[in-house]
């Protein structure tokens, strides 16, 4: 290894890059077939809606211009929809960008960040990138153990990440438990509640954390257009927080972190409630189809309120994944999340789900 490699900060040298789901093009090249089913990245199987696609196309006629660096139109649309003030909003290049902005704004090498075992992979990444200490709290029934997480908070804690629901497990915390957690959390700790899958959840006791913002100025709620809104390619996410927190995040973000096509498409997607509702409905039906198939196959799964589900296929999960790949179906191994016996499958269209079930069945035999 060359000496120049050692010039990177110690924190960065210790990083393992995020592993995305296998791209469809890559498998197409490998197998020489073109009817690949990708259920590996929790994308909306219906894709973007017609209004968002039209807005994106229109924005393509203005490629010579910088985007609105303050995202005025999208912020106004979000503020109206969510019932928050515009100065509570921060826009990001995906909500991944938001997770990084908030960490860079508040956390140094002196601090600790608390999150759960099996939680979203970006939390350890952003923690390590700023050289902070990760405090990983063992999961309970695959989900966040908020009691233990609260007990893990110290004077050095500066942030806690709660994915609600969590990816890859699909587990969620209810309003009562979350409220209790927030009440017990000291004000020197920023509480980030990641609601990337908010729109899919219909459980009556699932909390909409925007309602808590007035009471908890240290709360940051993050959401995204990548999942239910079907705009993963464009990279748009946002947070809602106290205006002062938003102000600090705004200082560390790049001036034009969200591009013009993304801004236009996201505003249109927000207004297209039909597409959102159809997407959520398709997900509910598909979740039923997949989990019923798992039960028929005698495979345990982690009950999920997201657009994906983790099924326990056993010690040979890596092999099952490979055999499904060979049939053109891409799902997600989750050994890197501490779940070596599970595979995570995104809910697809009806025909994608059938392909997935057939591939899984034949991957389990022999
Ligand atoms: C997908 C996902 C995100 C963010 O995705 P972006 O495309 O960056 O908005 C954030 N949190 C969780 C838990 C996710 O699964």
């Amino acid at each position: 290894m060359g000496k120049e490699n050692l010039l990177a900060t110690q924190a960065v040298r210790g990083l393992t890059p995020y592993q995305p789901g296998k791209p469809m093009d890559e498998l197409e090249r490998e197998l020489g077939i073109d009817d690949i089913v990708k259920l590996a990245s929790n994308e909306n199987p219906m894709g973007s809606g017609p209004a968002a696609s039209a807005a994106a196309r229109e924005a393509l006629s203005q490629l010579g211009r910088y985007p609105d660096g303050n995202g005025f139109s999208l912020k106004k649309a979000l503020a109206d929809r969510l019932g928050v003030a515009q100065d509570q909003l921060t826009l990001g290049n995906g909500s991944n960008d938001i997770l990084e902005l908030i960490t860079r704004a508040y956390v140094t090498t002196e601090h600790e960040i608390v999150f759960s075992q099996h939680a979203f992979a970006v939390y350890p990444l952003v923690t390590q990138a700023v050289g902070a200490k990760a405090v990983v709290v063992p999961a309970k029934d695959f989900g966040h153990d908020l009691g233990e997480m609260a007990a893990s908070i110290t004077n050095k804690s500066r942030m806690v990440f709660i994915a609600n629901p969590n990816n890859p497990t699909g587990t969620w915390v209810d309003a009562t438990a979350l409220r209790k957690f927030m009440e017990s959390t000291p004000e020197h700790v920023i509480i980030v509640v990641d609601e990337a899958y908010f729109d899919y959840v219909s459980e009556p006791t699932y909390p909409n954390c925007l309602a808590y913002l007035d009471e908890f100025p240290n709360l940051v709620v993050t959401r995204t257009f990548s999942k239910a809104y079907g705009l993963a390619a464009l990279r748009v996410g946002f947070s809602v927080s106290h205006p002062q927190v938003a102000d600090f995040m705004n200082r560390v973000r790049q001036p034009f972190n969200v591009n013009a096509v993304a801004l236009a498409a996201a505003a249109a997607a927000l207004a297209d409630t039909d597409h959102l509702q159809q997407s959520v409905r398709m997900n509910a039906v598909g979740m039923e189809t997949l989990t019923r198939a798992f039960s028929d196959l005698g495979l345990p799964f982690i009950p999920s309120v997201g657009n994906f589900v983790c099924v326990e296929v056993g010690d040979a999960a890596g092999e099952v994944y490979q055999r499904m790949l060979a049939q053109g179906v891409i799902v997600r191994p989750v050994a890197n999340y501490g779940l070596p016996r599970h595979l995570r499958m995104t809910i697809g269209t009806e025909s994608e789900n059938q392909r997935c079930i057939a591939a899984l069945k034949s991957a389990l035999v022999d």
Side-chain angles (χ1 to χ4, degrees), residues 94-96 99 120 123 163 165 167 194 196-197 224 226-227 235-236:
S95 59
N96 200 143
L99 299 174
F120 186 43
Y123 310 153
N167 169 19
D194 179 344
Y197 302 93
T224 181
S226 298
K227 307 286 162 59
R235 318 300 306 123
V236 201

Side-chain angles (χ1 to χ4, degrees), residues 241-357:
S241 66
H242 189 282
Q244 182 68 73
V245 177
D247 179 31
F248 286 129
M249 289 169 74
N250 193 46
R251 297 182 198 198
V252 293
R253 77 175 174 85
Q254 288 180 31
F256 302 103
N257 63 332
V258 185
N259 72 72
V261 181
L263 287 171
L270 193 64
D272 188 354
T273 48
D274 281 352
H275 185 67
L276 180 68
Q277 278 170 12
Q278 282 172 34
S279 304
V280 170
R281 217 172 309 134
M282 173 182 273
N283 187 65
V285 173
M287 179 67 86
E288 181 66 30
T289 305
L290 277 192
T291 53
R292 194 167 333 113
F294 299 156
S295 297
D296 290 347
L297 292 166
L299 300 174
F301 58 90
I302 306 172
S304 167
V305 295
N307 67 339
F308 55 89
V309 55
C310 273
V311 58
E312 186 178 349
V313 295
D315 289 334
E319 238 169 281
V320 174
Y321 165 69
Q322 290 296 342
R323 289 185 203 153
M324 290 182 76
L325 271 189
Q327 297 170 75
V329 178
I330 313 174
V331 296
R332 190 72 159 265
V334 281
N336 58 328
Y337 283 94
L339 298 165
R341 297 171 54 82
H342 288 77
L343 292 175
R344 190 194 71 194
M345 300 178 185
T346 304
I347 310 305
T349 60
E350 179 56 28
S351 66
E352 287 172 334
N353 296 335
Q354 295 306 337
R355 277 273 306 275
C356 178
I357 291 165

Side-chain angles (χ1 to χ4, degrees), residues 24-25 27-29 31-39 324-330 351-352 355-356 359:
M24 296 169 81
D25 292 356
L27 188 63
E28 275 174 20
R29 285 194 299 274
L31 295 182
I33 57 173
D34 60 8
D35 59 342
I36 305 288
V37 170
K38 185 185 174 209
L39 299 173
M324 290 182 76
L325 271 189
Q327 297 170 75
V329 178
I330 313 174
S351 66
E352 287 172 334
R355 277 273 306 275
C356 178

